[in-house]
Amino acid sequence: MFNYFRKEIEWGGRPLILETGKIARQADGAVVVTYGETVVLCTAVGAKTVKPGQDFFPLTVNYQEKAYAAGKIPGGFFKREGRPSEAETLNSRLIDRPIRPLFPEGFRNEVQVITTVLSHDMENDPAIPALIGASAALTLSGIPFFGPVAGCRVGYTNGEYVLNPTIDETKESDLDLVVAGTSEGVLMVESEASELSEAVMLGAVNFGHKAFQPVIDAIIALAEHAAKAPWEMEGPSKEAIALRKKVDTLGRKLLVAAYKEKAKQARYEKVAAAKKTVIEKLVAADLDAEAAKPMLKDLEADIVRNSILDTGLRIDGRDLVTVRPIVSEVGILPRAHGSSLFTRGETQALVVATLGTGQDEQVIDALEGEYRTNFLLHYNFPPFSVGECGRTGSPGRREIGHGKLAWRAIHPLLPTKAEFPYTMRVVSEITESNGSSSMATVCGTSLSLMDAGVPLKRPVAGIAMGLIKEDSGYAVLSDILGDEDHLGDMDFKVAGTEAGITALQMDIKITSITPEIMEIALEQARGGRLHILGEMSKALTEGRSGVSSTAPKITTMSVPKEKIRDVIGTGGKVIREIVEYSGAKVDIGDDGTITIAASSDEQAQKAISRINGIVAEPEVGRIYDGKVVKTADFGAFVNFLGAKDGLVHISELGQGRVARTTDVVKQGDAVKVKVIGFDDRGKVKLSMRVVDQATGADITTDVGEKPARAPRRED
């Protein structure tokens, strides 16, 4: 019944198993990947025909996690999986990026890849098996695909690279890097690092590329048994070849002239006019104008790319390494806790930082369990930033991906929660865009956080690098424009400090690049990054000495764990009373750490005093402010430390003999008392006699020895 095939290898100290022929047999390609006890079903399906008028390659990659994979039931009212989480979106992009360049140029059939996490062992991240399975499913499907591709995760601990560290090991690593590629070279890199050097980062990429070669061999071995016959691909017709030649003849001179314009909007207008002229001439000659449109795009790429290689000059007139002019400004929004406007050429990011309390932390419900994060970074790319009309609304995959890249760049430099007990939310509004708005977000985020008073260890900057590679040679470009990104072969983004790299992302549009090109790109990026940091330093070099006056004032204190119950009270009664009395927000953690957020120092001090009163133990010899809560024949009960009461015996109420308690104090009186000891039952014994009630000074030496106890009065 089943045409079942299986391939198993030992990889990174765990078995990696690829299986096909048993599940999802109606898909063009289906592979179940098991790594440890993490299991992912990966399928690939391609449309057999192209939709009329289709002028791009419609590839869709969906990575989806099922709650049952971790033995959980989804939360919420509907109790089923809904819209993709941020992690699912990021992993979809992680799979899409290395496989997209491996489809043939001109292929327009719709392809859908779906990877579904069926089991999660809480040790092995499902993203890597999903990437491998997607590649294997495409390799088996018969769909035109120049794979296989594989990938792995690389850690760096104690100066050693670690292949596929577990989830817990990754948390302790100085590096979290995912690299993917073919047997020939690297296609994609995504990473977060703790200020590592260029040499360490390049070594990690090369280590990973070498490490996943056995996986590529395993996919090939599986394909030898289970691959379907490849689809037949038709070459260009004689009519298409003749049309391409005609497009070149009509359009080359016009487009060369248009690309001499250095200003983006003016250049776009001239390029559009040149294309319109070519299309009109083709229509007049009764030629297929629709088929000519992608040919015009190819002609644009040829003109721009070869011009850079031939002249060493780029579209806007710069050489290969020069960074566009930069202007950095901070504190531009009066009510924001921190704000910056970072402008680099025709790319601009308005970045705003907001400080909140522990109640503002984001709760994330992941397969491996629920956790909280106190650093949020949201990136928005409105259509007006490129002078267009377009959709607005919830963020798309690109916006989520760019925001996460900037998050990774900043995250290693943030203070610990103990050092800075705020929740930090940053929003980057891209107000202009012509290349690398994600790196502008990194720069703007660094400035806005410092403006908000966040004590970053060091400022962070980012730069995007590009590549033009032809048979005649190659050129690495610093601070690429949007056109250079679109028409080039590489998008290589490096972020970090003067001390090292904190984030590296690379996407290759050709089959691979060499380690030599990567080394050149990293070194060139370092020079650009240091230049940008210098320009940013003209605005700010470190976090301001204090948070904004509009930000909440947060104070932390610790209480013994056994006192947590006393601070909270039955049903939260005590902590609610503290909040009502002080006006501050009060959060208490399981370890006894209390965070107090207030709009003024007075509010914070009220809350601190009340909490200290609850958790503090009376100290013999210390003087306290108190209030008489009850009087009796033998003395007065005084509330002096939170909810704690003590007895001032009638003999300790004042100098000399006191006939009646009410001769000295009445209920409700404010008094000053000194702790003089404890009775046999542990009750606190207090004295007013030895305290100056006006000043609170200790006058024990002035009053001499304690007088004899007053005689007991008869009823």
Side-chain angles (χ1 to χ4, degrees), residues 561-581:
K561 289 185 178 181
E562 61 271 17
K563 296 290 185 179
I564 293 175
R565 180 183 300 176
D566 297 334
V567 176
I568 295 174
T570 304
K573 178 183 177 182
V574 175
I575 200 167
R576 285 197 302 271
E577 289 176 349
I578 295 171
V579 170
E580 184 176 350
Y581 165 74

Side-chain angles (χ1 to χ4, degrees), residues 576-591:
R576 285 197 302 271
E577 289 176 349
I578 295 171
V579 170
E580 184 176 350
Y581 165 74
S582 66
K585 291 182 179 180
V586 180
D587 294 322
I588 185 165
D590 294 338
D591 61 349

Side-chain angles (χ1 to χ4, degrees), residues 11-254:
W11 189 48
R14 283 145 284 178
L16 175 69
I17 303 169
L18 309 179
E19 300 172 275
T20 188
K22 189 174 184 180
I23 298 177
R25 291 172 294 161
Q26 295 185 51
D28 290 329
V31 176
V32 176
V33 181
T34 303
Y35 193 47
E37 292 185 347
T38 293
V39 182
V40 186
L41 169 64
C42 308
T43 62
V45 175
K48 302 303 185 288
T49 58
V50 181
K51 292 181 181 179
Q54 186 78 48
D55 63 350
F56 65 95
F57 173 40
L59 170 66
T60 304
V61 177
N62 290 310
Y63 167 93
Q64 53 192 25
E65 297 176 340
K66 301 297 183 180
Y68 57 71
K72 298 169 64 176
I73 295 174
F77 181 78
F78 293 104
K79 297 299 178 185
R80 69 175 300 161
E81 293 81 4
R83 60 182 297 179
S85 66
E86 181 180 281
E88 288 173 306
T89 298
L90 293 170
N91 285 336
S92 296
R93 283 172 53 87
L94 199 71
I95 298 165
D96 181 298
R97 287 157 48 198
I99 67 175
R100 187 174 288 272
L102 299 180
F103 290 89
E105 184 178 354
F107 184 63
R108 299 289 184 263
N109 299 57
E110 183 177 3
V111 175
Q112 185 178 44
V113 175
I114 298 176
T115 62
T116 306
V117 181
L118 304 179
S119 178
H120 189 2
D121 61 8
M122 305 301 163
E123 292 186 0
N124 298 290
D125 180 11
I128 298 303
L131 192 159
I132 292 168
S135 168
L138 285 167
T139 302
L140 301 185
S141 68
I143 297 170
F145 177 66
F146 299 143
V149 63
C152 67
R153 190 174 295 275
V154 178
Y156 188 69
T157 305
N158 298 324
E160 298 289 335
Y161 296 117
V162 181
L163 175 62
N164 292 332
T166 65
I167 292 173
D168 288 339
E169 289 171 342
T170 298
K171 294 175 183 177
E172 304 300 321
S173 174
D174 292 327
L175 174 67
D176 180 13
L177 180 142
V178 175
V179 55
T182 63
S183 57
E184 297 177 353
V186 173
L187 286 167
M188 185 274 295
V189 177
E190 183 79 48
S191 66
E192 178 183 336
S194 298
E195 297 184 284
L196 298 179
S197 69
E198 282 74 12
V200 171
M201 296 298 289
L202 182 60
V205 173
N206 292 333
F207 171 85
H209 180 251
K210 182 179 179 181
F212 63 62
Q213 296 307 310
V215 179
I216 291 178
D217 294 338
I219 295 173
I220 293 172
L222 188 71
E224 288 174 350
H225 293 284
K228 296 179 180 178
W231 293 10
E232 291 186 7
M233 291 289 294
E234 296 182 1
S237 64
K238 292 180 180 180
E239 291 79 8
I241 294 172
L243 180 60
R244 184 174 292 275
K245 186 176 180 180
K246 185 70 172 177
V247 168
D248 189 284
T249 301
L250 294 173
R252 182 170 290 274
K253 287 184 179 180
L254 293 172

Side-chain angles (χ1 to χ4, degrees), residues 184-186 202 205-206 209 513-522:
E184 297 177 353
V186 173
L202 182 60
V205 173
N206 292 333
H209 180 251
I513 63 169
T514 64
E516 176 192 9
I517 293 176
M518 283 191 62
E519 185 174 4
I520 291 171
L522 280 168

Side-chain angles (χ1 to χ4, degrees), residues 509-650:
K509 302 174 187 177
I510 53 180
T511 53
S512 64
I513 63 169
T514 64
E516 176 192 9
I517 293 176
M518 283 191 62
E519 185 174 4
I520 291 171
L522 280 168
E523 188 57 36
Q524 199 166 309
R526 181 176 181 274
R529 184 174 81 247
L530 294 178
H531 168 74
I532 295 170
L533 285 168
E535 294 298 303
M536 291 168 56
S537 69
K538 296 176 182 178
L540 270 181
T541 57
E542 61 183 12
R544 298 194 187 278
S545 58
V547 299
S548 165
S549 60
T550 59
K553 309 298 184 292
I554 294 184
T555 307
T556 58
M557 59 184 297
S558 295
V559 300
K561 289 185 178 181
E562 61 271 17
K563 296 290 185 179
I564 293 175
R565 180 183 300 176
D566 297 334
V567 176
I568 295 174
T570 304
K573 178 183 177 182
V574 175
I575 200 167
R576 285 197 302 271
E577 289 176 349
I578 295 171
V579 170
E580 184 176 350
Y581 165 74
S582 66
K585 291 182 179 180
V586 180
D587 294 322
I588 185 165
D590 294 338
D591 61 349
T593 300
I594 298 178
T595 303
I596 300 165
S599 58
S600 68
D601 292 337
E602 181 184 359
Q603 289 181 337
Q605 195 55 50
K606 280 185 175 181
I608 292 170
S609 298
R610 183 63 67 91
I611 293 170
N612 281 333
I614 294 171
V615 302
E617 294 293 340
E619 298 179 27
V620 174
R622 184 170 177 179
I623 295 172
Y624 297 90
D625 290 323
K627 181 179 180 181
V628 177
V629 293
K630 183 181 179 182
T631 60
D633 292 342
F634 51 83
F637 290 95
V638 175
N639 174 242
F640 69 100
L641 187 60
K644 295 181 176 65
D645 294 341
L647 173 65
V648 181
H649 191 269
I650 193 170

